[in-house]
Amino acid sequence: FGTVESAQYNIEQLLHAGISKELFPQRTNTFTAQEEELMQKLADESHRAYEELKNHPLFLDYLSHASPLRFFAETNIGSRPVSRSASSKLQLKDLRAIPFVGAWSQLKQNVPGFYGVGSALRDLSANLDEIKALYHSNLFFKTLIDNCEMAMQKTDFALTAFLSGHETYGEIWRKLRDEYELCREYLARITGKDALMSDFPVEQQSVQTRERIVLPLTTIQQYALTRIRESNDEELKKTLGKLVIRCSFGIINAGRNSA
C-alpha cells in the first residue's frame, strides 16, 4: 500500500467482508435461470474471441517483440521465473501469470482485462436490452464490467501506434486496437456512460494521475526497446536493456502507490 490510510481502509474492508460472511451467511442465487443462460452465452462468445487471438501464430511473438517481456527475468519482481520451461521457444502454457499480465500492462494494452468483451456484446446485440438490465440490477455483472473499464482506462494504443503499419505485427496490433474500440462502444451502450469509470470519479482521477506519471516511462521504455531491435551494437543493447528494466521498476511503483 502507498499510504497508511490506504492500507487501513483496504484491511478494514477485508475484515468486514470476512466477518459479515460468517455472521450473515446468504445462500441466495446470484442469477435467475434466464440471467445465467445469458451470462453463459456472453462467456462463451468472449472465450471464443480470446481463443482466436491466443491461437494467432504471432500472438506471443508480438508480445515479446513489442513489450519488455523478455527482460522480466532480470527485474526480480516476482518470486518465480518468467517461464515454467527451460525451452528457448516461449509457449503460452509455460508463461507465468505475472510476466504475462505485466508485459501487457507495460505495453499499455491490457489485453487480459478487456479482450473478448466487445466481441461478446456485439455478437449478442439482439439481447442488448437484457444485458443492460443485468448491468443495472446484478452487482456481480456490474463489478465485472467495472473491472473491464478500469483495465481500459489504463490502456493507451497511442504509445505503440508506430506498430500499426508494421510489416509483420501491424495486423495483430490493429486487431487488438479494434477490439478495444468495439468494447468501448458497447460498454457505453449498456452502461449509458460517455466516459470510462465516470461513476467512480475519485478512482478515475487516481488512475489518470498515475497514468501521467507512467506515460513518460513507457515512452522511454518503448524508445529503448525499438533501439535494441534496430541496433547491432551489443554494448549499446546491453545499456538500453538496463534502461528498459529501470523503466519497469518505475512503472510498477507508479501503478502500485496511491496517487
Side-chain angles (χ1 to χ4, degrees):
F1 300 102
T3 65
V4 172
E5 292 79 7
S6 177
Q8 180 178 332
Y9 174 79
N10 281 276
I11 292 170
E12 284 176 353
Q13 292 292 302
L14 288 170
L15 288 172
H16 178 268
I19 293 170
S20 295
K21 181 179 180 298
E22 291 301 317
L23 292 178
F24 311 107
Q26 295 182 355
R27 297 290 182 265
T28 56
N29 292 328
T30 305
F31 299 97
T32 66
Q34 185 177 359
E35 289 172 341
E36 187 171 344
E37 182 181 356
L38 179 60
M39 276 294 295
Q40 188 61 56
K41 288 179 180 178
L42 285 167
D44 290 342
E45 290 302 316
S46 182
H47 183 256
R48 178 198 56 76
Y50 186 74
E51 281 289 303
E52 181 187 4
L53 172 67
K54 190 181 72 173
N55 292 327
H56 192 291
L58 294 177
F59 178 62
L60 274 187
D61 289 342
Y62 168 81
L63 184 61
S64 182
H65 173 86
S67 80
L69 176 63
R70 61 189 181 278
F71 293 94
F72 268 55
E74 301 174 46
T75 59
N76 194 30
I77 58 174
S79 59
R80 297 173 180 175
V82 169
S83 174
R84 296 181 179 89
S85 171
S87 170
S88 58
K89 175 64 175 176
L90 188 63
Q91 299 182 60
L92 190 60
K93 65 183 179 64
D94 296 325
L95 191 59
R96 295 191 180 277
I98 291 176
F100 179 71
V101 175
W104 285 115
S105 175
Q106 297 202 3
L107 191 54
K108 307 310 295 174
Q109 293 182 359
N110 286 320
V111 162
F114 75 86
Y115 198 92
V117 175
S119 291
L121 293 172
R122 178 201 59 200
D123 294 345
L124 290 172
S125 57
N127 302 97
L128 212 56
D129 287 341
E130 295 175 63
I131 297 171
K132 188 184 300 184
L134 186 64
Y135 172 80
H136 290 289
S137 66
N138 187 283
L139 187 58
F140 176 86
F141 185 62
K142 184 181 186 303
T143 302
L144 195 66
I145 296 300
D146 290 344
N147 286 340
C148 178
E149 284 192 34
M150 184 171 65
M152 294 175 67
Q153 184 75 51
K154 298 176 181 179
T155 297
D156 185 359
F157 277 92
L159 177 70
T160 52
F162 64 94
L163 290 171
S164 63
H166 192 279
E167 182 179 2
T168 304
Y169 299 111
E171 176 195 349
I172 196 164
W173 184 93
R174 294 190 297 272
K175 185 180 182 68
L176 300 176
R177 190 273 319 275
D178 290 349
E179 178 68 20
Y180 172 85
E181 295 296 341
L182 184 67
C183 190
R184 186 158 190 155
E185 174 191 346
Y186 274 89
L187 286 189
R189 292 173 66 175
I190 68 168
T191 65
K193 297 182 295 186
D194 294 329
L196 297 169
M197 296 183 68
S198 60
D199 50 349
F200 297 100
V202 175
E203 290 81 359
Q204 182 192 55
Q205 183 61 49
S206 177
V207 170
Q208 291 171 347
T209 300
R210 297 181 200 202
E211 289 305 293
R212 286 196 292 271
I213 299 170
V214 166
L215 180 58
L217 294 171
T218 53
T219 303
I220 293 168
Q221 188 181 68
Q222 278 298 312
Y223 170 78
L225 287 169
T226 301
R227 289 294 307 277
I228 289 171
R229 292 192 295 263
E230 295 173 347
S231 178
N232 294 317
D233 186 333
E234 293 303 320
E235 281 301 313
L236 176 61
K237 290 166 74 171
K238 186 176 179 180
T239 300
L240 290 169
K242 292 179 181 178
L243 181 58
V244 170
I245 293 170
R246 299 314 301 179
C247 285
S248 287
F249 289 143
I251 293 165
I252 292 163
N253 285 333
R256 177 189 299 145
N257 293 330
S258 295

Short mmCIF file of all heavy atoms in Angstrom, two decimals, residues 44-77:
data_model
loop_
_atom_site.label_atom_id
_atom_site.label_comp_id
_atom_site.label_asym_id
_atom_site.label_seq_id
_atom_site.Cartn_x
_atom_site.Cartn_y
_atom_site.Cartn_z
N ASP A 44 -19.20 -17.61 -23.37
CA ASP A 44 -18.79 -18.46 -24.50
C ASP A 44 -18.27 -17.62 -25.66
O ASP A 44 -17.24 -17.95 -26.27
CB ASP A 44 -19.97 -19.31 -24.96
CG ASP A 44 -20.34 -20.40 -23.96
OD1 ASP A 44 -19.51 -20.70 -23.09
OD2 ASP A 44 -21.47 -20.93 -24.05
N GLU A 45 -18.98 -16.53 -25.98
CA GLU A 45 -18.56 -15.68 -27.10
C GLU A 45 -17.26 -14.96 -26.79
O GLU A 45 -16.39 -14.82 -27.65
CB GLU A 45 -19.66 -14.66 -27.44
CG GLU A 45 -20.90 -15.27 -28.07
CD GLU A 45 -20.57 -16.02 -29.35
OE1 GLU A 45 -19.78 -15.51 -30.16
OE2 GLU A 45 -21.10 -17.13 -29.53
N SER A 46 -17.13 -14.49 -25.55
CA SER A 46 -15.89 -13.82 -25.14
C SER A 46 -14.71 -14.78 -25.18
O SER A 46 -13.63 -14.44 -25.66
CB SER A 46 -16.08 -13.26 -23.73
OG SER A 46 -14.92 -12.57 -23.32
N HIS A 47 -14.93 -16.00 -24.69
CA HIS A 47 -13.88 -17.02 -24.69
C HIS A 47 -13.48 -17.38 -26.12
O HIS A 47 -12.28 -17.55 -26.41
CB HIS A 47 -14.36 -18.26 -23.95
CG HIS A 47 -13.32 -19.33 -23.83
ND1 HIS A 47 -13.33 -20.47 -24.61
CD2 HIS A 47 -12.22 -19.43 -23.04
CE1 HIS A 47 -12.30 -21.23 -24.30
NE2 HIS A 47 -11.61 -20.62 -23.36
N ARG A 48 -14.46 -17.49 -27.00
CA ARG A 48 -14.17 -17.80 -28.41
C ARG A 48 -13.26 -16.73 -29.02
O ARG A 48 -12.28 -17.04 -29.71
CB ARG A 48 -15.48 -17.89 -29.19
CG ARG A 48 -15.28 -18.17 -30.68
CD ARG A 48 -16.53 -17.83 -31.49
NE ARG A 48 -16.96 -16.45 -31.29
CZ ARG A 48 -16.34 -15.41 -31.84
NH1 ARG A 48 -15.26 -15.57 -32.59
NH2 ARG A 48 -16.80 -14.19 -31.62
N ALA A 49 -13.58 -15.44 -28.77
CA ALA A 49 -12.78 -14.35 -29.32
C ALA A 49 -11.35 -14.38 -28.75
O ALA A 49 -10.38 -14.18 -29.49
CB ALA A 49 -13.44 -13.01 -29.00
N TYR A 50 -11.24 -14.65 -27.45
CA TYR A 50 -9.92 -14.69 -26.83
C TYR A 50 -9.11 -15.88 -27.33
O TYR A 50 -7.90 -15.78 -27.56
CB TYR A 50 -10.05 -14.73 -25.31
CG TYR A 50 -8.72 -14.61 -24.60
CD1 TYR A 50 -8.05 -13.38 -24.53
CD2 TYR A 50 -8.11 -15.73 -24.03
CE1 TYR A 50 -6.83 -13.27 -23.90
CE2 TYR A 50 -6.88 -15.62 -23.39
CZ TYR A 50 -6.25 -14.39 -23.33
OH TYR A 50 -5.02 -14.29 -22.71
N GLU A 51 -9.77 -17.02 -27.50
CA GLU A 51 -9.07 -18.20 -28.03
C GLU A 51 -8.55 -17.94 -29.44
O GLU A 51 -7.45 -18.37 -29.79
CB GLU A 51 -10.03 -19.40 -28.04
CG GLU A 51 -10.21 -20.06 -26.68
CD GLU A 51 -8.98 -20.82 -26.24
OE1 GLU A 51 -8.53 -21.73 -26.97
OE2 GLU A 51 -8.45 -20.49 -25.17
N GLU A 52 -9.35 -17.24 -30.23
CA GLU A 52 -8.93 -16.92 -31.60
C GLU A 52 -7.66 -16.06 -31.57
O GLU A 52 -6.73 -16.27 -32.34
CB GLU A 52 -10.05 -16.17 -32.32
CG GLU A 52 -9.70 -15.80 -33.76
CD GLU A 52 -10.75 -14.91 -34.41
OE1 GLU A 52 -11.72 -14.51 -33.72
OE2 GLU A 52 -10.59 -14.59 -35.60
N LEU A 53 -7.64 -15.08 -30.66
CA LEU A 53 -6.45 -14.24 -30.52
C LEU A 53 -5.27 -15.06 -30.03
O LEU A 53 -4.16 -14.98 -30.57
CB LEU A 53 -6.73 -13.10 -29.54
CG LEU A 53 -5.51 -12.24 -29.15
CD1 LEU A 53 -5.01 -11.45 -30.34
CD2 LEU A 53 -5.86 -11.32 -27.99
N LYS A 54 -5.49 -15.86 -29.00
CA LYS A 54 -4.42 -16.65 -28.39
C LYS A 54 -3.79 -17.62 -29.38
O LYS A 54 -2.59 -17.91 -29.31
CB LYS A 54 -4.98 -17.42 -27.19
CG LYS A 54 -3.94 -18.08 -26.32
CD LYS A 54 -4.58 -18.84 -25.17
CE LYS A 54 -5.28 -20.09 -25.67
NZ LYS A 54 -5.77 -20.94 -24.55
N ASN A 55 -4.60 -18.13 -30.31
CA ASN A 55 -4.11 -19.10 -31.28
C ASN A 55 -3.52 -18.45 -32.53
O ASN A 55 -3.09 -19.15 -33.44
CB ASN A 55 -5.25 -20.05 -31.69
CG ASN A 55 -5.67 -20.95 -30.54
OD1 ASN A 55 -4.85 -21.34 -29.71
ND2 ASN A 55 -6.95 -21.27 -30.46
N HIS A 56 -3.51 -17.13 -32.56
CA HIS A 56 -2.87 -16.44 -33.67
C HIS A 56 -1.39 -16.80 -33.66
O HIS A 56 -0.73 -16.75 -32.61
CB HIS A 56 -3.05 -14.93 -33.51
CG HIS A 56 -2.67 -14.14 -34.73
ND1 HIS A 56 -1.37 -14.01 -35.17
CD2 HIS A 56 -3.44 -13.43 -35.62
CE1 HIS A 56 -1.34 -13.26 -36.25
NE2 HIS A 56 -2.59 -12.90 -36.55
N PRO A 57 -0.82 -17.18 -34.79
CA PRO A 57 0.57 -17.64 -34.81
C PRO A 57 1.59 -16.60 -34.33
O PRO A 57 2.70 -16.96 -33.93
CB PRO A 57 0.81 -18.00 -36.29
CG PRO A 57 -0.28 -17.31 -37.04
CD PRO A 57 -1.45 -17.26 -36.13
N LEU A 58 1.22 -15.33 -34.35
CA LEU A 58 2.15 -14.28 -33.94
C LEU A 58 1.83 -13.70 -32.56
O LEU A 58 2.42 -12.71 -32.15
CB LEU A 58 2.14 -13.15 -34.97
CG LEU A 58 2.66 -13.50 -36.37
CD1 LEU A 58 2.52 -12.31 -37.30
CD2 LEU A 58 4.12 -13.95 -36.30
N PHE A 59 0.90 -14.33 -31.84
CA PHE A 59 0.44 -13.77 -30.56
C PHE A 59 1.59 -13.53 -29.59
O PHE A 59 1.83 -12.41 -29.14
CB PHE A 59 -0.61 -14.70 -29.95
CG PHE A 59 -1.14 -14.26 -28.61
CD1 PHE A 59 -1.83 -13.06 -28.47
CD2 PHE A 59 -0.94 -15.05 -27.47
CE1 PHE A 59 -2.31 -12.66 -27.24
CE2 PHE A 59 -1.43 -14.65 -26.24
CZ PHE A 59 -2.11 -13.46 -26.12
N LEU A 60 2.33 -14.57 -29.24
CA LEU A 60 3.42 -14.42 -28.28
C LEU A 60 4.61 -13.71 -28.89
O LEU A 60 5.33 -12.98 -28.20
CB LEU A 60 3.84 -15.78 -27.74
CG LEU A 60 3.06 -16.31 -26.53
CD1 LEU A 60 3.71 -17.58 -26.00
CD2 LEU A 60 2.96 -15.28 -25.43
N ASP A 61 4.84 -13.91 -30.19
CA ASP A 61 5.94 -13.21 -30.85
C ASP A 61 5.73 -11.70 -30.80
O ASP A 61 6.66 -10.93 -30.58
CB ASP A 61 6.06 -13.65 -32.32
CG ASP A 61 6.57 -15.08 -32.45
OD1 ASP A 61 7.16 -15.59 -31.47
OD2 ASP A 61 6.38 -15.68 -33.51
N TYR A 62 4.48 -11.30 -30.99
CA TYR A 62 4.15 -9.87 -30.92
C TYR A 62 4.41 -9.34 -29.52
O TYR A 62 5.03 -8.27 -29.35
CB TYR A 62 2.68 -9.66 -31.28
CG TYR A 62 2.16 -8.27 -30.97
CD1 TYR A 62 2.40 -7.21 -31.84
CD2 TYR A 62 1.44 -8.02 -29.80
CE1 TYR A 62 1.95 -5.93 -31.55
CE2 TYR A 62 0.98 -6.74 -29.50
CZ TYR A 62 1.23 -5.70 -30.37
OH TYR A 62 0.77 -4.44 -30.08
N LEU A 63 3.95 -10.06 -28.49
CA LEU A 63 4.14 -9.62 -27.12
C LEU A 63 5.63 -9.52 -26.78
O LEU A 63 6.07 -8.56 -26.13
CB LEU A 63 3.45 -10.59 -26.16
CG LEU A 63 3.47 -10.20 -24.67
CD1 LEU A 63 2.77 -8.87 -24.44
CD2 LEU A 63 2.82 -11.30 -23.83
N SER A 64 6.40 -10.49 -27.23
CA SER A 64 7.83 -10.49 -26.96
C SER A 64 8.54 -9.38 -27.72
O SER A 64 9.48 -8.75 -27.22
CB SER A 64 8.42 -11.85 -27.35
OG SER A 64 9.80 -11.90 -27.07
N HIS A 65 8.05 -9.09 -28.94
CA HIS A 65 8.65 -8.06 -29.78
C HIS A 65 8.38 -6.66 -29.23
O HIS A 65 9.29 -5.82 -29.15
CB HIS A 65 8.07 -8.17 -31.20
CG HIS A 65 8.49 -7.06 -32.13
ND1 HIS A 65 9.66 -7.10 -32.85
CD2 HIS A 65 7.89 -5.88 -32.44
CE1 HIS A 65 9.76 -6.00 -33.58
NE2 HIS A 65 8.70 -5.24 -33.35
N ALA A 66 7.14 -6.40 -28.84
CA ALA A 66 6.72 -5.03 -28.52
C ALA A 66 6.83 -4.68 -27.04
O ALA A 66 6.88 -3.49 -26.71
CB ALA A 66 5.27 -4.82 -28.98
N SER A 67 6.85 -5.66 -26.16
CA SER A 67 6.83 -5.41 -24.72
C SER A 67 8.17 -5.77 -24.08
O SER A 67 9.03 -6.38 -24.71
CB SER A 67 5.71 -6.23 -24.07
OG SER A 67 6.14 -7.57 -23.89
N PRO A 68 8.35 -5.42 -22.79
CA PRO A 68 9.59 -5.80 -22.09
C PRO A 68 9.55 -7.21 -21.52
O PRO A 68 10.28 -7.52 -20.58
CB PRO A 68 9.66 -4.75 -20.96
CG PRO A 68 8.23 -4.44 -20.66
CD PRO A 68 7.51 -4.51 -21.98
N LEU A 69 8.72 -8.09 -22.07
CA LEU A 69 8.54 -9.44 -21.53
C LEU A 69 9.87 -10.16 -21.31
O LEU A 69 10.09 -10.75 -20.25
CB LEU A 69 7.65 -10.26 -22.46
CG LEU A 69 7.43 -11.73 -22.08
CD1 LEU A 69 6.70 -11.83 -20.74
CD2 LEU A 69 6.64 -12.46 -23.15
N ARG A 70 10.75 -10.11 -22.30
CA ARG A 70 11.99 -10.88 -22.20
C ARG A 70 12.94 -10.33 -21.14
O ARG A 70 13.92 -10.99 -20.78
CB ARG A 70 12.68 -10.94 -23.55
CG ARG A 70 13.08 -9.60 -24.14
CD ARG A 70 13.54 -9.78 -25.58
NE ARG A 70 13.98 -8.54 -26.20
CZ ARG A 70 13.16 -7.65 -26.74
NH1 ARG A 70 11.85 -7.85 -26.69
NH2 ARG A 70 13.63 -6.56 -27.32
N PHE A 71 12.67 -9.12 -20.64
CA PHE A 71 13.53 -8.53 -19.60
C PHE A 71 13.01 -8.80 -18.19
O PHE A 71 13.69 -8.48 -17.22
CB PHE A 71 13.64 -7.02 -19.82
CG PHE A 71 14.37 -6.64 -21.08
CD1 PHE A 71 13.66 -6.39 -22.25
CD2 PHE A 71 15.75 -6.56 -21.11
CE1 PHE A 71 14.32 -6.05 -23.41
CE2 PHE A 71 16.41 -6.23 -22.27
CZ PHE A 71 15.70 -5.97 -23.43
N PHE A 72 11.82 -9.36 -18.09
CA PHE A 72 11.22 -9.56 -16.77
C PHE A 72 12.05 -10.49 -15.89
O PHE A 72 12.03 -10.35 -14.67
CB PHE A 72 9.79 -10.09 -16.90
CG PHE A 72 8.74 -9.01 -16.94
CD1 PHE A 72 8.81 -7.99 -17.87
CD2 PHE A 72 7.69 -9.00 -16.03
CE1 PHE A 72 7.86 -6.99 -17.92
CE2 PHE A 72 6.74 -7.99 -16.06
CZ PHE A 72 6.82 -6.99 -17.01
N ALA A 73 12.73 -11.45 -16.50
CA ALA A 73 13.53 -12.39 -15.71
C ALA A 73 14.66 -11.66 -14.96
O ALA A 73 15.14 -12.15 -13.94
CB ALA A 73 14.12 -13.46 -16.62
N GLU A 74 15.06 -10.48 -15.46
CA GLU A 74 16.16 -9.74 -14.85
C GLU A 74 15.69 -8.71 -13.84
O GLU A 74 16.51 -8.08 -13.17
CB GLU A 74 16.98 -9.05 -15.95
CG GLU A 74 17.56 -10.00 -16.98
CD GLU A 74 18.24 -9.24 -18.10
OE1 GLU A 74 18.99 -8.30 -17.80
OE2 GLU A 74 18.01 -9.57 -19.28
N THR A 75 14.39 -8.51 -13.72
CA THR A 75 13.88 -7.44 -12.85
C THR A 75 13.72 -7.87 -11.40
O THR A 75 13.60 -7.04 -10.52
CB THR A 75 12.52 -6.93 -13.34
OG1 THR A 75 11.58 -8.02 -13.37
CG2 THR A 75 12.64 -6.33 -14.73
N ASN A 76 13.64 -9.18 -11.15
CA ASN A 76 13.48 -9.71 -9.80
C ASN A 76 12.24 -9.13 -9.11
O ASN A 76 12.26 -8.75 -7.94
CB ASN A 76 14.73 -9.40 -8.95
CG ASN A 76 14.76 -10.21 -7.66
OD1 ASN A 76 14.24 -11.31 -7.62
ND2 ASN A 76 15.38 -9.65 -6.63
N ILE A 77 11.13 -9.05 -9.87
CA ILE A 77 9.89 -8.52 -9.29
C ILE A 77 8.90 -9.63 -8.97
O ILE A 77 7.83 -9.37 -8.46
CB ILE A 77 9.23 -7.51 -10.25
CG1 ILE A 77 8.91 -8.18 -11.60
CG2 ILE A 77 10.08 -6.29 -10.43
CD1 ILE A 77 8.13 -7.32 -12.55
#
